[in-house]
Amino acid sequence: QRNADATVAVLPVPIEQGSEFGILDVGPDGGNIIRIVQGANALLGVGAIVDNHLAIKSEKVVLLQNETALATAIAVALCAGTGGAVALMDPVPAPEPMWPADVISHFDILTPNATEVGLITGVTPPNLTEGLRVAHVLAENDPAWVLT
């Protein structure tokens, strides 16, 4: 669908695969435990990105998340970049181990939450003050960071 404000692009996957869902539990320490049951996201591969590269690189912003294969997300970011689009990555569920700097550099903006920030920096911000301190440290690096 296309209108003056936004485009929604849907890449096809077989309907019989079904969709993905996640279960959010609270662990013994009070932290989140996210369990993902992959559906259609597991089928989205680099081939679909190659097949749809014209549509992807014509966008202004592409939104990505860590529920698809990392190689696929990187392919989308690279393709989008050829058209000048911004690649925004929400690294959820948190990758363990966290991606190295050379992987993170493929994305223009990352939107980690406190758990993901902890994996990136080694410090999980327990409060807003510590979150701001970590945000300043992250701001010294590329890409841009938005802590959620």
Side-chain angles (χ1 to χ4, degrees):
Q1 296 175 301
R2 197 176 277 276
N3 65 35
D5 299 318
T7 299
V8 177
V10 179
L11 300 181
V13 295
I15 193 73
E16 61 274 2
Q17 177 63 30
S19 63
E20 178 170 302
F21 64 92
I23 300 168
L24 178 63
D25 295 318
V26 177
D29 63 353
N32 291 339
I33 299 172
I34 302 172
R35 296 180 287 148
I36 302 295
V37 178
Q38 287 190 319
N41 284 341
L43 294 179
L44 185 61
V46 174
I49 307 314
V50 171
D51 292 346
N52 293 280
H53 72 280
L54 293 175
I56 294 166
K57 73 179 192 177
S58 71
E59 300 305 326
K60 292 183 173 109
V61 176
V62 294
L63 305 176
L64 305 160
Q65 39 66 24
N66 195 33
E67 295 169 353
T68 56
L70 181 58
T72 303
I74 289 172
V76 171
L78 291 171
C79 181
T82 64
V86 172
L88 187 147
M89 167 57 90
D90 185 355
V92 63
E96 293 190 49
M98 188 55 189
W99 305 316
D102 64 319
V103 170
I104 290 173
S105 69
H106 290 290
F107 310 108
D108 299 303
I109 300 172
L110 265 77
T111 60
N113 63 24
T115 300
E116 295 142 7
V117 166
L119 291 170
I120 295 165
T121 65
V123 177
T124 301
N127 55 48
L128 183 57
T129 302
E130 185 63 17
L132 288 171
R133 187 191 72 73
V134 171
H136 286 288
V137 170
L138 292 172
E140 296 171 3
N141 303 303
D142 280 333
W145 297 84
V146 177
L147 283 89
T148 60

